[in-house]
Amino acid sequence: MSELEQKIRSEAERLLKEGLVDVVIAFRKEDAPLRPQPAFFTHPEDLENLTYNGLCANNLANYLTRYPRETRIGMLVRGCENRSVNALIVEKQHSRENLYLIGIPCTGIIDWRKVIALTGEDILGYEDTDSTLIVRARHQTFRLPRQELLHPSCQRCVHPNPLSADILLGEALPEGDPTLIRARVESFEALSREERTAFFRQEAERCIRCYACREACPMCYCEECFVDHNTPRWTESGTTPAGTHAWHIIRAFHQTGRCTSCGACERACPMDIQMTYLTDKLGKDMWDYYQFAAGMDDKTQPPFAAFTMDDKKHFQAGGKLS
Amino acid sequence: MTDHKPKIAFFQCHWCLYAPEDQEWVDRRLPDNIRLIKVPCTGRIDPLFVLNAVQGGAEGVVISGCLPEKCHYKEGNLAARRQLQEFSSFMDYIGYDEARLRFVWLDLQDRGRIQRELADFENQLQQLGSAEALAARQPLEEGGAHE
Ligand code: SF4
Ligand code: SF4
Ligand code: SF4
């Protein structure tokens, strides 16, 4: 058990034993290799199953909206999860008083797909250390450089430290390079119109409409998603090209000013479809036009929930932003 | 240049045309290639409506509404403008030419402007040629799925 894991466990134990929270949301040991699972601890004795390492891929803030606002929740949060929690508090999905955030400075989530591409699926065990992931497969032990295995969203992460945790376990890390996430959007913008369309279509049209991306996203908590509405039906529901286009466009657009670039949607997708290039573009625009980044505090309304008469200065006669 | 008359979806806030003869023209004498969708305020226009128009075969979309400070519902169009503007550049990002989406914010003295804007937009669409970036879809049936 790692030192960090031990610290998380003792903090969770304290919260439960002292009755400070009703549930601790964290991760438990996996049933399938490389896939630790979200877990909901209500009894201190269950905490022996608690685990934490770089393969914990879910954004736990996703589970905030599954509890009534009165439930006192202890939650393990990394940088992006803390920002998602903040964005949810802004949207009144929980009250800050009923949350206890156990913060950990995040060294990035390892993309299990990258691991099995190198090791094969026959995995007996693994150990996540500072710079190396050691994977024991049936016939061989692999020592893989951690940085290269990170999910692309984590390689581009700007704020790895939780911003408003009640306790921080571990030393704060240096901030990430903010140009990386922009550069990726800008390089897509620099492609020709035909290339952009081709890429969008190639990704979107592989979609099987399983909605795992939606289920994994903390901000997709609508009781009835637009794609499930059928009187009237707003959009094609099948896996037709038009249906998949509409899903990818509108799902991403609904995250404008709310998405924290955690990458959980992409990690959840069984078809390995890229979609953060869409939400990251929207995030970049919100910053450029409104100097807003989602989840940096738990008070500021996102641009689409706010407006000012000053806006008219931004719009040209044709109606476009200048 | 062709004779092809591009199909245009025209979302109109029903307060934005101050001159009765302009509204009369829109209501009764709109050319056949322009489909009118009247809304109580631009704030009612969900970007999904715009996407549906595009996927439903519109080669261009016009949205007309009141100037920001003259919105009948005080602030309804401010939030809409932020959203629709961003939607337009987002569509452009994935390859759909934002020149196919036009906003027309109208003021009291803009008598006759909507006719000019629509004619000019039609012209612009003719120059752009056909729109093929996104897949067209079948008409949506109310209440039921179809494949
Ligand atoms: S859209 Fe994706 S990257 Fe953004 S918050 Fe949701 S899961 Fe995270
Ligand atoms: S895609 Fe949009 S409508 Fe559907 S759950 Fe997410 S935010 Fe809600
Ligand atoms: S998770 Fe992937 S396949 Fe499933 S709906 Fe989302 S994009 Fe489509």
Side-chain angles (χ1 to χ4, degrees):
Chain A
M1 193 198 314
S2 74
E3 194 189 330
L4 179 58
E5 213 170 55
Q6 185 56 55
K7 283 190 196 161
I8 298 168
R9 203 175 290 184
S10 350
E11 185 62 12
E13 188 171 6
R14 183 181 75 83
L15 295 176
L16 288 173
K17 281 200 171 143
E18 293 180 13
L20 297 172
V21 300
D22 302 314
V23 58
V24 171
I25 306 180
F27 290 92
R28 72 168 169 84
K29 292 186 188 117
E30 56 261 62
D31 296 334
L34 305 177
R35 311 296 305 275
Q37 288 157 304
F40 310 87
F41 299 99
T42 48
H43 300 291
E45 53 275 25
D46 297 337
L47 289 169
E48 64 188 52
N49 292 321
L50 186 145
T51 193
Y52 184 75
N53 57 54
L55 284 137
C56 296
N58 305 62
N59 182 330
L60 294 177
N62 193 25
Y63 301 104
L64 198 67
T65 46
R66 313 215 174 161
Y67 290 91
R69 286 166 51 109
E70 299 71 42
T71 309
R72 293 166 309 153
I73 300 175
M75 187 184 281
L76 185 71
V77 293
R78 292 161 283 194
C80 57
E81 278 157 330
N82 195 156
R83 280 175 282 124
S84 296
V85 168
N86 282 348
L88 288 167
I89 294 170
V90 170
E91 297 183 6
K92 303 211 175 355
Q93 295 305 307
H94 216 86
S95 61
R96 185 63 185 88
E97 305 78 68
N98 288 339
L99 290 173
Y100 187 93
L101 303 177
I102 308 169
I104 36 180
C106 180
T107 51
I109 292 172
I110 292 171
D111 189 343
W112 64 277
R113 287 192 181 98
K114 288 190 187 173
V115 179
I116 58 166
L118 297 167
T119 65
E121 297 195 34
D122 211 355
I123 292 167
L124 302 174
Y126 66 93
E127 192 185 342
D128 179 21
T129 71
D130 282 350
S131 58
T132 318
L133 182 76
I134 304 163
V135 180
R136 277 188 301 113
R138 195 163 298 280
H139 302 295
Q140 198 184 340
T141 296
F142 296 84
R143 302 180 68 85
L144 307 169
R146 200 176 187 283
Q147 192 61 28
E148 288 167 28
L149 298 176
L150 295 185
H151 186 268
S153 290
C154 300
Q155 285 169 334
R156 298 186 287 264
C157 176
V158 187
H159 309 292
N161 300 305
L163 297 169
S164 58
D166 294 284
I167 183 174
L168 198 60
L169 306 179
E171 290 287 308
L173 295 162
E175 290 273 282
D177 176 357
T179 61
L180 297 177
I181 191 162
R182 295 184 71 86
R184 196 245 195 152
V185 172
E186 280 159 4
S187 69
F188 189 78
E189 285 169 339
L191 299 174
S192 72
R193 192 175 293 291
E194 291 69 33
E195 287 168 323
R196 300 200 305 274
T197 306
F199 184 84
F200 170 74
R201 295 193 65 146
Q202 171 202 317
E203 294 303 300
E205 290 178 17
R206 289 188 290 119
C207 177
I208 56 174
R209 307 294 292 269
C210 68
Y211 304 132
C213 48
R214 175 183 75 188
E215 298 309 307
C217 176
M219 306 318 287
C220 269
Y221 58 79
C222 302
E223 285 200 0
E224 186 178 53
C225 178
F226 77 100
V227 288
D228 296 326
H229 193 92
N230 57 16
T231 38
R233 183 166 285 292
W234 292 119
T235 189
E236 267 188 15
S237 57
T239 50
T240 55
T244 57
H245 293 181
W247 168 241
H248 279 256
I249 293 169
I250 302 294
R251 182 204 69 89
F253 197 72
H254 283 178
Q255 306 311 326
T256 314
R258 308 169 67 231
C259 167
T260 57
S261 299
C262 70
C265 47
E266 243 172 43
R267 288 191 294 276
C269 178
M271 301 304 286
D272 218 352
I273 292 170
Q274 292 196 41
M275 51 197 118
T276 50
Y277 73 104
L278 299 173
T279 39
D280 287 348
K281 150 75 178 170
L282 294 161
K284 172 175 170 279
D285 284 356
M286 289 305 104
W287 181 257
D288 290 349
Y289 296 137
Y290 305 106
Q291 289 72 55
F292 180 87
M296 296 304 284
D297 64 59
D298 59 14
K299 306 249 163 3
T300 315
Q301 292 288 337
F304 286 1
F307 40 76
T308 136
M309 268 310 168
D310 286 349
D311 274 5
K312 68 181 172 192
K313 292 204 283 275
H314 298 303
F315 292 89
Q316 301 163 346
K320 304 276 162 142
L321 271 175
S322 54
Chain B
M1 210 45 173
T2 64
D3 287 342
H4 171 69
K5 287 278 185 196
K7 285 190 226 158
I8 297 173
F10 172 29
F11 291 89
Q12 190 226 332
C13 150
H14 75 172
W15 300 99
C16 75
L17 293 171
Y18 295 86
E21 59 273 28
D22 286 348
Q23 190 64 67
E24 206 267 339
W25 181 83
V26 164
D27 289 340
R28 306 203 195 289
R29 281 178 288 144
L30 216 48
D32 288 344
N33 59 320
I34 303 177
R35 176 78 63 90
L36 174 67
I37 305 104
K38 269 203 199 178
V39 288
C41 176
T42 41
R44 177 66 187 97
I45 306 169
D46 190 296
L48 184 54
F49 299 176
V50 177
L51 179 67
N52 266 336
V54 168
Q55 291 197 320
E59 293 160 83
V61 177
V62 174
I63 290 169
S64 77
C66 312
L67 279 184
E69 62 275 32
K70 303 239 168 101
C71 178
H72 186 79
Y73 302 102
K74 304 250 186 328
E75 292 163 338
N77 70 8
L78 292 177
R81 281 162 65 123
R82 285 189 168 187
Q83 283 211 31
L84 293 168
Q85 153 60 35
E86 184 56 28
F87 191 65
S88 156
S89 57
F90 185 53
M91 291 287 278
D92 201 73
Y93 181 72
I94 58 166
Y96 185 86
D97 195 341
E98 65 184 333
R100 292 182 182 279
L101 304 175
R102 177 175 295 202
F103 302 100
V104 183
W105 308 111
L106 295 162
D107 200 357
L108 208 51
Q109 65 272 22
D110 285 338
R111 186 179 294 258
R113 180 168 153 213
I114 194 64
Q115 291 89 325
R116 291 197 304 278
E117 291 275 1
L118 285 166
D120 182 68
F121 187 55
E122 190 172 289
N123 207 336
Q124 182 176 325
L125 293 176
Q126 279 171 336
Q127 318 265 353
L128 287 173
S130 63
E132 281 159 3
L134 294 172
R137 55 154 177 75
Q138 299 299 307
L140 297 173
E141 283 164 34
E142 194 157 312
H146 68 81
E147 297 305 324

